[in-house]
Amino acid sequence: MFERALVISRDQKDRELFQAILTSKGLALDIDAISMEKNTELKALKGGVGVVLVDYDLVGGAWVRRLTGLLKEERHRPCLILYGEKMEPEEMSALLRSGVYGFVPRSLIPERICDTLMAGLENRKGFMEVMAEIDDLKKVNEKVEKEKERLRIKNQELLLMNKLSKEIAYELDWCNILPRIIRTGLLDILDACHMGILYEIGATWYLAFHSSHGEIRENNLRNIVKEMTKMFHSFSGGTLKAEDVSVKTYQSDGIAYLSCPISLRRAWVEPMEFAGRALGLVAIIGRNSRRPFEGKKELLSTIANILAISLKNAREYHRVGEMAVTDGLTGVFNRKGFRYLMAREFRKSLRYKNPLSLVMIDVDNFKEINDSLGHQGGDHVLRELARYLKKMVRRADIVARYGGDEFVILIPQTGMERAEVLMRRISADLEARRFTWCGAKIKVEISYGISSMDEGEQVEHEDELISKADTRLYDAKRSRVSPVIMKRASSAK
């Protein structure tokens, strides 16, 4: 029934006695006998032992109690049966309570040992079945606990998705999209410490980057921008230079600078795609560098999809908004767009006491260009001049068509002197430049007037800047001459 029985006895004769009795009863039980030695307890605990027969006269009550104490720690504990000359009733009662199954007097071994063994083994069998049921119950409980934890995490993720969708899915202004995402608790649920979003609105690329460990050093940030632009290139196949990306950083947990570099090699990175087109890139860096985002791939993909939908809507809204403030002919801001931006920059200049310059520009003798080349030729000159002016100014400067052949340049954080330098350079360059229309080369000359917030007088409204620049434009225009239109060489012949 069991692999073997162990007899701890005075001599080898006990083994022979038990073997003979069991054989005569037709019971097969492999019996080994050992004497008391240093590792007797360990041998009694060795796997495969179903029953231990102990000579009580040899070992004594103290040893038996020590053994029963050890057996209580064993899941597959053997049945412990004592035999000997005699035992006091109180001692026997105490040992039975400690875990001994029974005691067989030596004189009654031939009559009782078989029944005692069989009953003890049956008792052990019942014990083992109970232990097996306990094991099964533990496994069931562990499975239930795992399922409860899985459902808890799933519920947490669903709540996050619901909150994230409400927060950003229909957000049209992406200026502060990253802080809104962070407020949903996304990084805590993902066990992440950094998050970056690379995206394009209008013609401008942006990188918003959040760090939970403090402010990022400049060289570290430059490396992040380079890595993300390279990754976007690998996803989209397009070209994007790191220097063309406008960066905004956010941080929490104080303002300590990060001393260790941030690498995207251990980050989850995925494009924000809509209709198969990559609109941008989202990167999240986990705290656990060995097994980041384990079991979170589906959640992360859902996050990327929500961001992609939001970004697509924001881009479309921006496009429609640009149409309302963009001049249809030249592609620069129209008068409405200029007035809105002028008011914004004027408020900023007053608040931070920064210089602000305004240039009003008029094309000299534009009517003659129209008369000579037709309105299509005149429109072409206006388009080319607008493109030229945008090329000559900084990204932060604002070029707009004020009306007819009038343009305006708004130059933030620039005083009168630097604005004069810029316009002299533009005028000189135009002197040597020729626009071409249907073979005709056109010399375009402009008049301009400049006003600035740093002229020493208090300016309380943007209309005062516009009025000053317009007056100075009028004074300058009176001294200009007509443009020269050079006919095609073939016509000259």
Side-chain angles (χ1 to χ4, degrees), residues 42-184:
L42 297 178
K43 292 180 180 179
L45 297 173
K46 190 176 180 181
V49 176
V51 61
V52 179
L53 296 165
V54 181
D55 184 349
Y56 179 75
D57 299 333
L58 172 66
V59 300
W63 186 90
V64 173
R65 289 185 181 86
R66 186 166 65 252
L67 180 60
T68 54
L70 294 172
L71 289 176
K72 286 181 180 179
E73 304 299 323
E74 294 296 313
R75 296 180 54 79
H76 304 287
R77 69 183 69 168
C79 175
L80 183 59
I81 299 173
L82 305 179
Y83 69 93
E85 292 299 331
K86 64 177 181 178
M87 183 187 299
E88 295 298 327
E90 294 82 2
E91 177 72 358
M92 183 182 296
S93 177
L95 292 177
L96 290 174
R97 287 196 302 271
S98 70
V100 174
Y101 178 72
F103 176 79
V104 180
R106 186 178 290 276
S107 59
L108 297 177
I109 286 178
E111 293 85 4
R112 293 186 181 178
I113 194 63
C114 286
D115 292 340
T116 304
L117 276 171
M118 295 305 296
L121 291 175
E122 189 65 28
N123 180 271
R124 182 178 184 273
K125 178 182 178 183
F127 171 77
M128 297 299 293
E129 290 175 352
V130 171
M131 293 303 295
E133 290 178 0
I134 292 174
D135 286 345
D136 291 341
L137 185 59
K138 284 183 178 179
K139 291 179 181 178
V140 171
N141 287 336
E142 289 174 359
K143 187 175 181 180
V144 169
E145 289 301 318
K146 287 181 179 178
E147 183 63 16
K148 285 172 61 178
E149 180 63 14
R150 187 190 71 81
L151 291 175
R152 185 193 67 81
I153 293 174
K154 192 67 177 178
N155 183 59
Q156 187 183 50
E157 292 175 356
L158 289 173
L159 289 174
L160 171 66
M161 290 299 96
N162 183 52
K163 191 173 183 180
L164 193 64
S165 296
K166 288 181 178 179
E167 189 74 22
I168 69 164
Y170 301 101
E171 177 57 45
L172 300 176
D173 182 5
W174 264 50
C175 291
N176 291 299
I177 195 69
L178 188 53
R180 300 188 67 170
I181 295 172
I182 301 303
R183 284 198 297 270
T184 65

Side-chain angles (χ1 to χ4, degrees), residues 290-318:
R290 293 182 179 178
R291 304 169 71 181
F293 313 119
E294 186 176 17
K296 302 288 187 181
K297 300 303 182 184
E298 183 179 350
L299 172 64
L300 291 167
S301 296
T302 304
I303 292 170
N305 290 336
I306 292 174
L307 289 172
I309 293 172
S310 177
L311 177 56
K312 183 260 181 185
N313 292 335
R315 285 162 59 107
E316 184 65 21
Y317 175 78
H318 186 271

Side-chain angles (χ1 to χ4, degrees), residues 218-357:
E218 185 65 29
N219 60 336
N220 201 343
L221 189 60
R222 285 197 299 269
N223 290 334
I224 293 171
V225 177
K226 289 179 182 178
E227 283 190 75
M228 290 199 70
T229 52
K230 287 180 181 178
M231 287 182 177
F232 181 75
H233 174 73
S234 66
F235 280 117
S236 66
T239 56
L240 176 61
K241 297 179 180 179
E243 53 267 27
D244 294 332
V245 178
S246 178
V247 182
K248 189 170 185 180
T249 59
Y250 308 86
Q251 63 273 338
S252 56
D253 297 343
I255 58 172
Y257 282 96
L258 286 172
S259 58
C260 58
I262 299 174
S263 174
L264 299 183
R265 287 192 295 272
R266 60 184 180 90
W268 168 79
V269 181
E270 189 160 328
M272 296 179 287
E273 293 182 321
F274 190 88
R277 181 188 173 196
L279 305 181
L281 197 68
V282 56
I284 302 177
I285 303 175
R287 292 189 176 92
N288 186 348
S289 59
R290 293 182 179 178
R291 304 169 71 181
F293 313 119
E294 186 176 17
K296 302 288 187 181
K297 300 303 182 184
E298 183 179 350
L299 172 64
L300 291 167
S301 296
T302 304
I303 292 170
N305 290 336
I306 292 174
L307 289 172
I309 293 172
S310 177
L311 177 56
K312 183 260 181 185
N313 292 335
R315 285 162 59 107
E316 184 65 21
Y317 175 78
H318 186 271
R319 187 186 69 82
V320 173
E322 275 195 332
M323 290 175 62
V325 296
T326 301
D327 179 55
L329 175 64
T330 61
V332 297
F333 287 107
N334 58 20
R335 188 165 184 160
K336 177 182 177 181
F338 161 71
R339 291 307 302 248
Y340 170 79
L341 295 171
M342 175 69 181
R344 184 190 71 183
E345 294 299 326
F346 186 83
R347 289 194 301 270
K348 286 169 61 177
S349 180
L350 285 179
R351 180 178 180 182
Y352 298 108
K353 299 186 178 356
N354 290 329
L356 174 68
S357 293

Side-chain angles (χ1 to χ4, degrees), residues 403-459:
D405 60 338
E406 291 183 326
F407 290 86
V408 62
I409 304 177
L410 190 61
I411 315 174
Q413 298 188 16
T414 300
M416 175 68 79
E417 185 176 344
R418 287 175 58 191
E420 285 278 7
V421 171
L422 170 66
M423 292 311 300
R424 288 195 198 102
R425 186 171 72 248
I426 289 175
S427 294
D429 187 70
L430 278 175
E431 283 288 332
R433 183 177 294 271
R434 299 294 181 270
F435 295 157
T436 302
W437 168 255
C438 295
K441 293 183 178 181
I442 310 162
K443 179 181 179 181
V444 176
E445 295 182 344
I446 60 172
S447 298
Y448 61 87
I450 306 174
S451 62
S452 180
M453 296 277 285
D454 68 345
E455 293 184 55
E457 298 179 8
Q458 181 68 29
V459 180

